[in-house]
Amino acid sequence: MADCTAACARGRGISHLAFGRVHRLILALILVAGLGLRVWNNDYGLPFIYSVDEASHFTDRAVGMFREGIDPGYYQNPAAYTYLIHLLLRGMYGPLGFLFDLSFGNVTEQFSKDPGEIWIAARTLAALLCMGGVAAVYVAARRLWGVREGLVAAAVLAFAFLPVAYSRIAVTDVGSLIGVSLALLFAVRAHEENRLRDWALGGAAVGLAAAFKYTAGLAALPLVVAALAGPSLRRAGGLALAGLAALVAFVALNPYLFTSLGDWWGDLRDQADVAANDRKPGQESGGFGYYLDSLTWGLGWAGLAAALAGAVLLLRRDLVRALVLVSLPLALFAYLAVQSRYFGRWLLPAYPALALLAAYAVARAVDLLPERAPLRALAAAALTAAVLAQPLLADVRSARALGREDTLNQARDFLDEHFAPGLRVSIEPAVPGRYFRSNPEGTPPPWLSRCDQREGWTEPGWSYVAENGRRVCDQYKPGLFVRPDGGVRASAYGAVLSPSVVDDLRLYGYCHVMTVNVVRERAERRPRARAYYRRLGRESTLVREFSPYSEDAEPVPFDFDLSYNLYPSAYERPGPTVRIYRLDDCEQAYGPPLIRIPKAREPEPFS
């Protein structure tokens, strides 16, 4: 009998070892596949097209730190992601310089002349941070329940569409997922074991999350719930320790906060005021419905149903654990829903909790089956596949679309091919300044060469074929196009449009007008802007249209998320709908602008 017992024990040990290897292999496959989805075609749009948030918040600040010192001088968003980009670039062009090309001598010049490699590196860093969040949510679910829940939670967060979409953009949001996942884990452990170590680690995780996204600081709420669930002097001390650890972690990743406390507080307050009071055209429907709808595609219908089911089941079985896990998504949803601006990615810090709850529901459904390992493993795989089917299809579809040429690049190629340099063309504010350059890759195009220096010039000139078909030698390098709008933002563009703008365009030779639907559909909410577009349509000829949609697909109405993230199946390629018009009775001009068009004016209300 003893021999049999030993043999059985050895068999169970071998089985457990085999299962351990299998689940580690599954986790590795989830992480590799999730990273692959995120970096697949993440060079999209470059070197001309990248998002406004990419252009103005993080990567350019990280590059500027090579020239201006390690204080980013920017506090609208936390600095952790900016610092990581800076450290990554130092590593790429320092110790790893033999692998990466710094053809223009230094990082700032490289970014100015040919930034493609830097953008790809920053986007890849976002993808890696998100996969760190996937690994962290696996650890949290496994420690709270078991391996099965860990694998399901990791898969949900790895393949949910919203975390995938914002791992392809060089922005900070997905960086908060690691800290949030760990904060949830340590909040539960702090409640159940009341060890000071768990309180401190939970607080540090909150600080880590907030160092990437201010609103992720709501991850402190689960710790508060844990403290209130069994009030005691030790829990109060633990919560105080958690607060101190959160502050230390946050400041460690934002080291110039105290030396620039006034600037930080001003930027933070201004950012909060804008989000709360300054609505964007196209966001008049309210945040409650907006964020509920975002969950149906960002997490998926089945994923949302599983998360809700998990919350209900956990509330019945373990009230405090349930309150710890649901407190963050509910609080974040409530806070965001009452703001005046809404973006799906702002809800990302809630996704680790939603993934944990969905995993709990899947595992409890599997527990209803007979206790046979193969049967339960197959059932868990099938249920997880059902939860992931909708987002995974969108992940693959959008990644394939990103590999096709952006419509804005198609339009640029068309204008480049058909017109001489310096074309005065009205291009609506949907592109970065690099779009207008004649040498966006840092080296002159084939049609542009140097010519002899003339008297009064400080360097040789630039030779190219001008609009009259004759080769000229100019002192200054020509732009491919001339920008007439003076840098008016897309959100303000409708406020400066009126029918008289058409007269100004004619007068100054801006005979070609390029409209972009993600600007136009927002602008047309203002009466004067609608009148401008009606007049433009009457008094011009449509030369070319570049559509991002599949043949016979219906256009996607403007949305601050769906018009950019390629989730709708109608999208075949990235970019907006671009139309190029030629004004009637207009003499096309070339060369630098003489006046800002459209002229600034007092904004009018929406209607």
Side-chain angles (χ1 to χ4, degrees):
M1 183 70 177
D3 290 340
C4 178
T5 302
C8 291
R10 285 195 300 272
R12 285 195 298 271
I14 293 170
S15 174
H16 181 75
L17 181 62
F19 178 71
R21 289 174 177 169
V22 169
H23 93 254
R24 283 193 290 270
L25 176 61
I26 294 172
L27 177 62
L29 289 174
I30 290 171
L31 293 173
V32 170
L35 181 62
L37 275 173
R38 288 159 169 80
V39 300
W40 184 10
N41 291 325
N42 77 341
D43 60 345
Y44 62 92
L46 299 174
F48 310 115
I49 303 301
Y50 32 88
S51 81
V52 172
D53 287 333
E54 279 186 306
S56 57
H57 291 299
F58 307 104
T59 305
D60 65 327
R61 302 281 175 174
V63 170
M65 287 160 63
F66 283 90
R67 181 180 61 251
E68 299 168 3
I70 60 173
D71 181 358
Y74 163 80
Y75 307 102
Q76 289 182 21
N77 290 279
Y81 180 57
T82 302
Y83 277 116
L84 286 177
I85 296 174
H86 182 76
L87 291 173
L88 174 63
L89 297 179
R90 282 199 176 276
M92 286 173 55
Y93 299 117
L96 299 178
F98 63 95
L99 294 176
F100 297 96
D101 181 25
L102 197 61
S103 54
F104 291 94
N106 61 68
V107 175
T108 54
E109 195 69 14
Q110 187 74 32
F111 191 65
S112 173
K113 297 290 182 60
D114 186 10
E117 189 174 73
I118 294 173
W119 282 121
I120 293 170
R123 290 173 178 176
T124 302
L125 175 61
L128 289 168
L129 286 170
C130 191
M131 299 320 296
V134 172
V137 86
Y138 165 80
V139 171
R142 184 179 179 183
R143 295 289 180 86
L144 292 177
W145 299 297
V147 169
R148 182 188 300 148
E149 289 88 346
L151 292 175
V152 177
V156 170
L157 193 59
F159 302 117
F161 182 76
L162 193 70
V164 171
Y166 285 99
S167 301
R168 295 165 172 164
I169 302 174
V171 291
T172 191
D173 303 77
V174 293
S176 68
L177 301 180
I178 299 174
V180 169
S181 300
L182 296 177
L184 293 169
L185 167 62
F186 288 117
V188 172
R189 292 178 62 169
H191 161 68
E192 295 176 351
E193 301 180 28
N194 198 18
R195 295 182 301 183
L196 292 179
R197 181 181 69 182
D198 292 326
W199 289 105
L201 290 173
V206 171
L208 174 62
F212 285 94
K213 192 74 178 174
Y214 290 132
T215 50
L218 285 172
L221 189 57
L223 287 165
V224 175
V225 173
L228 295 177
S232 69
L233 187 60
R234 183 177 178 84
R235 288 180 183 272
L239 186 60
L241 178 61
L244 178 62
L247 180 63
V248 169
F250 179 76
V251 173
L253 294 168
N254 294 266
Y256 283 89
L257 185 149
F258 283 119
T259 60
S260 305
L261 194 58
D263 292 338
W264 172 75
W265 180 247
D267 281 358
L268 184 62
R269 185 185 56 214
D270 291 346
Q271 186 85 329
D273 287 345
V274 167
N277 303 310
D278 188 8
R279 66 173 177 159
K280 281 180 173 286
Q283 292 192 331
E284 292 84 29
S285 60
F288 187 84
Y290 192 98
Y291 285 111
L292 276 181
D293 180 68
S294 79
L295 288 168
T296 66
W297 52 262
L299 184 62
W301 283 101
L304 179 58
L308 291 172
V312 171
L313 289 171
L314 197 56
L315 282 166
R316 295 177 61 185
R317 298 189 182 191
D318 192 330
L319 178 61
V320 176
R321 272 198 178 193
L323 292 176
V324 166
L325 293 182
V326 304
S327 58
L328 170 58
L330 288 179
L332 184 61
F333 185 95
Y335 171 75
L336 294 176
V338 300
Q339 304 301 302
S340 294
R341 293 188 174 193
Y342 323 116
F343 301 96
R345 65 186 172 93
W346 287 0
L347 199 56
L348 268 171
Y351 273 61
L354 298 175
L356 290 170
L357 293 169
Y360 183 78
V362 169
R364 299 295 75 78
V366 170
D367 286 344
L368 298 174
L369 298 173
E371 203 169 328
R372 294 183 220 162
L375 177 63
R376 287 191 170 186
L378 288 173
L383 283 174
T384 304
V387 168
L388 297 179
Q390 177 190 349
L392 192 53
L393 286 172
D395 295 339
V396 174
R397 183 176 64 242
S398 58
R400 294 181 62 190
L402 287 173
R404 303 185 181 106
E405 190 175 15
D406 191 291
T407 54
L408 289 165
N409 283 340
Q410 289 181 312
R412 187 184 188 281
D413 290 342
F414 172 80
L415 292 173
D416 186 12
E417 180 181 350
H418 289 84
F419 298 96
L423 177 73
R424 291 189 189 174
V425 52
S426 174
I427 298 178
E428 295 188 328
V431 295
R434 180 168 297 276
Y435 192 85
F436 297 84
R437 293 190 188 181
S438 58
N439 61 331
E441 295 89 357
T443 55
W447 52 263
L448 184 63
S449 59
R450 302 308 296 253
C451 55
D452 293 337
Q453 181 176 338
R454 296 182 181 176
E455 185 177 352
W457 295 3
T458 58
E459 59 180 22
W462 295 91
S463 176
Y464 60 95
V465 176
E467 73 278 5
N468 55 14
R470 298 175 57 189
R471 181 163 289 277
V472 299
C473 179
D474 277 349
Q475 180 178 3
Y476 301 109
K477 185 191 305 178
L480 193 60
F481 317 120
V482 169
R483 186 176 196 148
D485 62 30
V488 178
R489 301 187 314 275
S491 59
Y493 195 66
V496 299
L497 288 177
S498 69
S500 64
V501 170
V502 175
D503 296 322
D504 291 337
L505 292 170
R506 275 200 182 95
L507 178 63
Y508 295 103
Y510 292 99
C511 298
H512 287 84
V513 180
M514 188 171 114
T515 66
V516 181
N517 78 302
V518 293
V519 175
R520 177 171 180 165
E521 289 180 31
R522 294 159 66 184
E524 286 183 325
R525 288 173 168 82
R526 299 180 185 270
R528 283 200 300 250
R530 287 198 298 273
Y532 160 78
Y533 284 111
R534 284 196 297 268
R535 185 178 179 191
L536 176 65
R538 289 194 308 269
E539 300 181 18
S540 66
T541 301
L542 179 63
V543 177
R544 282 295 298 270
E545 177 176 318
F546 300 93
S547 171
Y549 306 120
S550 304
E551 191 174 353
D552 300 326
E554 290 293 322
V556 175
F558 177 77
D559 181 276
F560 275 94
D561 284 296
L562 301 180
S563 294
Y564 298 94
N565 63 25
L566 304 186
Y567 175 82
S569 58
Y571 281 101
E572 183 179 50
R573 64 179 66 249
T577 299
V578 180
R579 295 183 177 92
I580 299 175
Y581 296 89
R582 200 338 175 147
L583 281 172
D584 302 332
D585 303 319
C586 180
E587 184 177 349
Q588 180 65 58
Y590 291 77
L594 301 175
I595 191 172
R596 177 179 293 186
I597 304 172
K599 300 174 184 176
R601 62 179 74 245
E602 287 296 317
E604 61 176 336
F606 303 117
S607 66

